[in-house]
Amino acid sequence: MPLPKPPAKRASLLSVTDFESQAAPKPAKRSPRAAAEPAAPAELNLYDPAALAPTPPARAPLVATASDAAATVIKRPEPKPRVAKPRGTGPAKLFVLDTNVLMHDPMSLFRFDEHDIYLPMITLEELDDHKKGMTEVARNARQVSRDLDALAANLATRDINGMTEGLSLARTGHREAGGKLFFQTNLVNVTLPAGLPQGKADNQILGVVQALRDQQPGRDVVLVSKDINMRIKARALGLPAEDYFNDKTLEDGDLLYTGVLQLPADFWDRHGKTMESWNQGGFTFYRISGPMVPALLINQFVYLEAAGAAPLHAKVTEITGKTAVLRTLREYTHAKNAVWGVTARNREQNFALNLLMDPDCDFITLTGTAGTGKTLMTLAAGLSQVMDDRRYTEIIVTRVTVPVGEDIGFLPGTEEEKMGPWMGALDDNLEVLSKTDGGAGEWGRAATNDLVRSKIKIKSLNFMRGRTFLNKFVLIDEAQNLTPKQMKTLITRAGPGTKIVCLGNLAQIDTPYLTEGSSGLTYAVDRFKGWPHSGHVTLARGERSRLADFASEVL
């Protein structure tokens, strides 16, 4: 509907006809939401003929109507924060947090759903003691202090009742937290067993838990701590204690996504009738629809090996609704498809080389026991794409500097020289990849080694913050020793045209306080599965030597 003409003279009014034509409800179709909430002009009668009179009392209806409109707007219900539905019907639990939980995960305050949090005063004292420095623990302590300050910022200076009744954890925007935060506001006098020193911080926290259980007998009071010995002492005193599980991506390492799925033996019988197939670019594509499609993920490898039939090795390239497209693979087990002289020796290695040589895969994770060929295949794929295809400009290799035994102290030299002793695996694999024709002689081998070395840069994790890698092939070795935060820091360094490959063995974690479920490698595998530009393969069989393969099984 066209708008009426604007007033031509100063202080002139619209005609009654023009005004009512704009205020009248429109006959067009409206959505169900619009039908449920009538438009404001249809509810409000803003025009009153008495308002045209010059006397002041005549303007009263207009003012009253405007106030009614404001009241109508105010009465609309405000959107409530989305709070997780309580799992039980009883009162919410009260979790008493140990200091190590807050320093381990600064966001742990907001990850207990509808339950309440209680912080003893000694916990705040220990946070204050650990906030100085540039370590990860000091950063986490400062972050927790800032969050606590933001939660208590709106309270009055002498508002003790606000502290006693609890602070809503959702007031700073964390809608997933539906509970309250309680601080210890009075002295707790509990007699612990005589064998426990009263001045120790852990024992004071145990005393607070015991006092809370006595004060609130109808409520579950649970101690949450990352300290195993403290949990043992709590259970010895009859107090419930739990570990902090929210940092674990998976409860069991066997549930980790493998990237490989074996098709059932009756796959062709159940999917063959509705299957479409075609050839394109030297590959065969199959479009399937059936009960298996919901279980598939993008870039997942499937295989079917039956006696007396040709094996099927394929990768899921597309999932649309109830259909999925499978594409056959390039056989890197054959010498004609060798990558920098390396051929795949088993099925999983063939899957891994298909991912490593795929330019559409920006992030790849490879896991497996020692000797499965993770580093060798990755280096071969990197050198092939840097030296031959010129797809990337250079290879950047990095790893966590966590020693297996006692630390030998500071290392001399530049950054690359300091990282040299940690890169023994790189040197061993380059020795295999740099083997050339025997007729080249010593000079030829030396020239090849220098050329290969010029395309490989060794970097330390300590200086990765703020960097951006452009057209680089980044290899992160021993990634199982990374925390989820360190993994995020490294992956977000990738610029345009960069591929990142993470290698690791979850059975050989050397970093303290990390397990298979909380490792950064597990975190990355679980979060990236199904993304069209990432892939993962768990290598199953060792190919280093019969000795290494047997040792990884029995030791």
Side-chain angles (χ1 to χ4, degrees):
M1 178 182 297
L3 294 174
K5 296 181 180 180
K9 299 180 181 180
R10 185 178 180 182
S12 61
L13 299 174
L14 292 176
S15 64
V16 178
T17 305
D18 291 338
F19 188 84
E20 290 180 350
S21 64
Q22 294 296 316
K26 299 179 181 180
K29 295 182 179 180
R30 291 184 289 178
S31 62
R33 182 178 179 182
E37 298 180 4
E43 288 184 0
L44 304 178
N45 184 15
L46 297 178
Y47 173 73
D48 190 355
L52 297 177
T55 55
R59 296 184 181 271
L62 181 61
V63 176
T65 308
S67 62
D68 293 341
T72 306
V73 175
I74 294 174
K75 289 180 181 178
R76 291 184 180 180
E78 297 181 356
K80 297 181 179 180
R82 296 181 181 179
V83 180
K85 295 182 179 179
R87 298 178 182 177
T89 56
K93 294 182 180 180
L94 183 62
F95 288 103
V96 181
L97 299 191
D98 194 4
T99 314
N100 48 45
V101 175
L102 298 173
M103 293 189 297
H104 176 75
D105 182 9
M107 299 302 294
S108 58
L109 287 171
F110 311 103
R111 292 181 175 171
F112 286 87
D113 296 333
E114 74 275 9
H115 303 293
D116 297 335
I117 306 297
Y118 188 94
L119 294 184
M121 196 57 65
I122 190 64
T123 298
L124 301 180
E125 292 288 340
E126 289 189 315
L127 281 177
D128 187 63
D129 293 339
H130 289 88
K131 70 180 181 181
K132 299 181 180 67
M134 297 300 296
T135 62
E136 191 71 20
V137 172
R139 293 190 187 98
N140 292 343
R142 290 193 293 268
Q143 179 63 42
V144 173
S145 300
R146 286 191 290 266
D147 291 337
L148 294 177
D149 180 64
L151 287 171
N154 296 329
L155 288 179
T157 307
R158 300 180 179 274
D159 189 7
I160 303 300
N161 294 329
M163 287 290 188
T164 307
E165 296 175 0
L167 305 175
S168 175
L169 290 169
R171 65 191 305 170
T172 55
H174 298 275
R175 297 185 176 182
E176 69 276 6
K180 292 183 178 181
L181 174 65
F182 294 90
F183 291 96
Q184 181 184 353
T185 56
N186 51 14
L187 182 63
V188 175
N189 189 10
V190 175
T191 303
L192 292 174
L196 293 178
Q198 299 293 329
K200 193 174 181 181
D202 290 355
N203 299 335
Q204 294 184 33
I205 295 177
L206 292 175
V208 170
V209 176
Q210 181 64 51
L212 290 174
R213 291 196 69 193
D214 297 339
Q215 295 172 5
Q216 306 181 28
R219 191 177 189 185
D220 291 338
V221 181
V222 183
L223 171 67
V224 182
S225 175
K226 298 292 293 182
D227 189 351
I228 298 177
N229 292 331
M230 187 171 181
R231 296 201 301 268
I232 294 174
K233 287 196 295 184
R235 295 185 180 114
L237 295 175
L239 304 176
E242 295 180 2
D243 192 5
Y244 178 66
F245 297 106
N246 203 278
D247 62 329
K248 295 185 178 180
T249 306
L250 297 174
E251 294 293 335
D252 190 357
D254 295 334
L255 302 176
L256 184 64
Y257 171 64
T258 62
V260 180
L261 178 65
Q262 183 179 6
L263 297 176
D266 59 347
F267 172 75
W268 295 113
D269 298 333
R270 300 183 65 180
H271 298 82
K273 296 181 181 179
T274 59
M275 183 181 296
E276 304 176 19
S277 64
W278 67 93
N279 293 326
Q280 181 180 348
F283 299 99
T284 303
F285 292 81
Y286 300 96
R287 187 184 302 276
I288 63 172
S289 60
M292 271 204 66
V293 174
L296 300 177
L297 293 171
I298 297 291
N299 286 339
Q300 185 179 21
F301 292 95
V302 296
Y303 69 94
L304 177 60
E305 296 175 351
L312 171 65
H313 294 169
K315 183 176 74 169
V316 181
T317 59
E318 179 185 341
I319 297 178
T320 307
K322 298 182 180 180
T323 64
V325 177
L326 308 181
R327 191 198 71 188
T328 56
L329 306 177
R330 187 181 302 277
E331 287 297 330
Y332 288 101
T333 55
H334 200 280
K336 68 177 183 180
N337 293 327
V339 179
W340 202 261
V342 174
T343 57
R345 294 188 178 183
N346 55 51
R347 180 180 58 238
E348 284 76 19
Q349 285 189 355
N350 186 31
F351 294 162
L353 284 174
N354 274 274
L355 277 181
L356 292 168
M357 298 301 293
D358 188 356
D360 290 333
C361 281
D362 300 333
F363 182 74
I364 298 170
T365 50
L366 299 179
T367 60
T369 58
T372 50
K374 303 182 295 293
T375 308
L376 180 66
M377 289 189 301
T378 305
L379 271 178
L383 289 173
S384 175
Q385 295 174 86
V386 170
M387 307 289 288
D388 297 340
D389 302 338
R390 303 297 177 93
R391 188 174 296 154
Y392 308 104
T393 57
E394 63 181 3
I395 300 175
I396 294 179
V397 185
T398 185
R399 59 164 290 177
V400 187
T401 54
V402 179
V404 178
E406 292 292 333
D407 199 349
I408 62 174
F410 291 100
L411 299 173
T414 61
E415 176 189 0
E416 191 155 345
E417 291 172 347
K418 289 177 183 293
M419 291 296 295
W422 299 98
M423 292 299 171
L426 175 66
D427 298 332
D428 298 339
N429 287 280
L430 284 179
E431 184 179 349
V432 177
L433 296 174
S434 299
K435 287 181 179 179
T436 56
D437 193 279
E442 292 295 331
W443 288 100
R445 282 193 291 271
T448 302
N449 288 334
D450 292 342
L451 180 61
V452 169
R453 280 288 188 179
S454 66
K455 293 295 184 179
I456 299 178
K457 298 292 187 298
I458 301 174
K459 300 296 181 183
S460 173
L461 282 175
N462 299 339
F463 311 107
M464 288 295 181
R465 180 74 71 183
R467 295 202 59 182
T468 301
F469 298 129
L470 303 176
N471 297 319
K472 300 292 193 296
F473 190 95
V474 183
L475 192 158
I476 304 174
D477 202 7
E478 303 296 336
Q480 77 274 3
N481 290 322
L482 288 169
T483 64
K485 185 177 292 186
Q486 290 173 330
M487 182 67 75
K488 179 181 179 180
T489 302
L490 284 177
I491 298 175
T492 52
R493 300 305 99 208
T498 293
K499 181 194 289 284
I500 294 182
V501 183
C502 294
L503 314 177
N505 179 12
L506 292 172
Q508 295 181 349
I509 296 179
D510 301 319
T511 304
Y513 313 117
L514 275 187
T515 61
E516 292 185 17
S518 60
S519 170
L521 182 59
T522 305
Y523 178 76
V525 171
D526 186 69
R527 294 303 175 95
F528 275 92
K529 64 181 180 182
W531 188 49
H533 302 289
S534 70
H536 170 72
V537 173
T538 299
L539 300 170
R541 193 172 68 188
E543 299 289 349
R544 176 173 293 165
S545 67
R546 58 189 179 188
L547 173 60
D549 194 15
F550 183 73
S552 63
E553 292 180 1
V554 300
L555 295 181

